[in-house]
Amino acid sequence: MSGPVLPPIPASLKGIQHYLKIATEHDQRDPVVSYWCRLYALQTGLKLSSKSSEETNFLMKLMDWLEVTKKSLHDNEAITNNVAAQAHLENWALKLFLYADKSDRASNFGKNVIQSFYTAGLLYDVITTFGDLTEEAAQNRKYAKWKAAYIHNCLKNGETPVAGPIGEEEDSGSQSVSDTGISSPPPNTDAFGFPSVPSSSNSNISPPKPLNIPSENENFIPVEPNPYNPAPTPTNPNNGQQSFQNFNNLKTVGGVTLSVEQMTKAQKLIKWAGSALNYDDVPTTVLNLQKALHLLTTGQEMP
């Protein structure tokens, strides 16, 4: 898939350039990620815009590309269905996060790890298109953004980063980043476009709590994801919720009544399992299916 031909981004919209950069990097790798990153950039740009002719022209070009792309990819459920799209993005953000976290804890530092943390953090921003993040996802986002800036700052200054979560006795120092290949940030942000991150002595960054158990696939590299091609799902993004409206009295095999929220959670687990399977991540697929089965048969979430 080819990206849009856009005019120079107006200075007032520089805050969306990082999402556009990720979209460009995924044009040939994953059109779903590319599409939703640009949609999030458009939505954010509309909020930032003062409606100048320069801003309007830029955003209209971006909007035109989104409309054409959605029509051309109408048979891709992760483009047309919000539930499938959310599952796809959550799975990829988690893959990047787990890869970066595993490498970081093994003291394997480098630009690939920085970029993986950085991209995961921004993808969690994009996922808010579908609603508020879960507690785990919100923590992953905060940690990923902080860790990306911290590792880069250490390498830039010739220091060895501390692997994994950093205790309060460590000093992460200034978070200014200038030579990562990422465009200069707006004022009052670091070069990743994030609000300036305080040093660890002034903040309590707890260890990340991934949404799923890390895969044991040692060969995972956070590039060239397989195209997402899930089984057909309803094209109406609200169908998933509507289909549960008449299940308030649904009972499990054990006679436990399931709530709408529990049914929704089970649906998401099954979606995540399907998404993980498309990435050949069998352990995560099995885990999510086990969680869904346990919830549907007992009415309780797996510990």
Side-chain angles (χ1 to χ4, degrees):
M1 183 180 72
S2 60
V5 178
L6 299 173
I9 185 169
S12 57
L13 300 182
K14 289 292 186 181
I16 69 174
Q17 65 183 347
H18 310 291
Y19 304 100
L20 295 176
K21 185 175 187 295
I22 292 176
T24 300
E25 292 169 347
H26 284 80
D27 278 335
Q28 303 303 319
R29 300 173 182 172
D30 191 327
V32 173
V33 173
S34 178
Y35 174 84
W36 288 103
C37 283
R38 287 195 175 99
L39 179 62
Y40 181 82
L42 173 65
Q43 294 174 340
T44 304
L46 290 172
K47 295 176 183 177
L48 296 174
S49 176
S50 61
K51 296 182 173 59
S52 69
S53 59
E54 183 183 21
E55 293 169 338
T56 301
N57 180 52
F58 182 88
L59 295 174
M60 286 300 296
K61 293 287 187 182
L62 183 56
M63 188 180 301
D64 290 342
W65 180 89
L66 288 166
E67 292 178 353
V68 171
T69 300
K70 187 171 185 179
K71 290 180 181 178
S72 66
L73 299 177
H74 65 277
D75 58 344
N76 189 326
E77 294 292 338
I79 296 292
T80 60
N81 183 278
N82 283 8
V83 175
Q86 182 177 358
H88 181 95
L89 293 173
E90 286 177 343
N91 187 73
W92 184 230
L94 181 63
K95 277 281 192 179
L96 290 170
F97 180 86
L98 294 180
Y99 165 81
D101 185 52
K102 185 175 182 179
S103 298
D104 171 51
R105 290 172 186 264
S107 298
N108 296 326
F109 309 114
K111 288 186 176 181
N112 202 32
V113 173
I114 296 171
Q115 189 70 17
S116 296
F117 269 133
Y118 160 72
T119 303
L122 293 191
L123 285 180
Y124 280 120
D125 288 342
V126 175
I127 293 169
T128 62
T129 300
F130 311 105
D132 293 336
L133 296 176
T134 64
E135 179 181 354
E136 292 86 354
Q139 185 181 39
N140 284 359
R141 175 172 65 169
K142 178 181 179 181
Y143 185 85
K145 291 181 177 183
W146 175 81
K147 196 69 174 181
Y150 165 72
I151 295 176
H152 178 270
N153 185 65
C154 286
L155 298 181
K156 177 184 176 182
N157 295 329
E159 301 171 357
T160 301
V162 176
I166 300 177
E168 292 187 356
E169 73 280 5
E170 301 292 343
D171 181 12
S172 62
S174 170
Q175 300 301 319
S176 175
V177 185
S178 61
D179 55 0
T180 60
I182 300 171
S183 302
S184 299
N188 301 321
T189 62
D190 61 26
F192 292 110
F194 311 138
S196 297
V197 183
S199 66
S200 58
S201 61
N202 296 322
S203 62
N204 184 15
I205 305 295
S206 56
K209 295 166 59 179
L211 294 171
N212 295 305
I213 294 177
S215 168
E216 295 301 321
N217 183 1
E218 297 289 340
N219 297 320
F220 173 74
I221 299 176
V223 294
E224 301 296 343
N226 295 328
Y228 185 76
N229 185 25
T233 55
T235 57
N236 184 341
N238 295 319
N239 279 353
Q241 294 287 344
Q242 293 172 352
S243 63
F244 295 136
Q245 290 179 353
N246 297 323
F247 287 100
N248 290 329
N249 296 320
L250 182 66
K251 294 183 179 296
T252 67
V253 176
V256 179
T257 300
L258 296 177
S259 66
V260 174
E261 290 75 16
Q262 288 172 318
M263 291 294 292
T264 302
K265 179 62 179 294
Q267 183 196 43
K268 287 186 176 181
L269 287 168
I270 294 171
K271 290 289 184 183
W272 291 338
S275 180
L277 189 58
N278 276 285
Y279 286 106
D280 299 325
D281 187 353
V282 176
T284 301
T285 300
V286 173
L287 176 65
N288 281 323
L289 289 175
Q290 289 175 335
K291 286 182 177 181
L293 181 62
H294 185 82
L295 178 60
L296 291 172
T297 55
T298 68
Q300 301 291 327
E301 295 187 23
M302 281 182 59

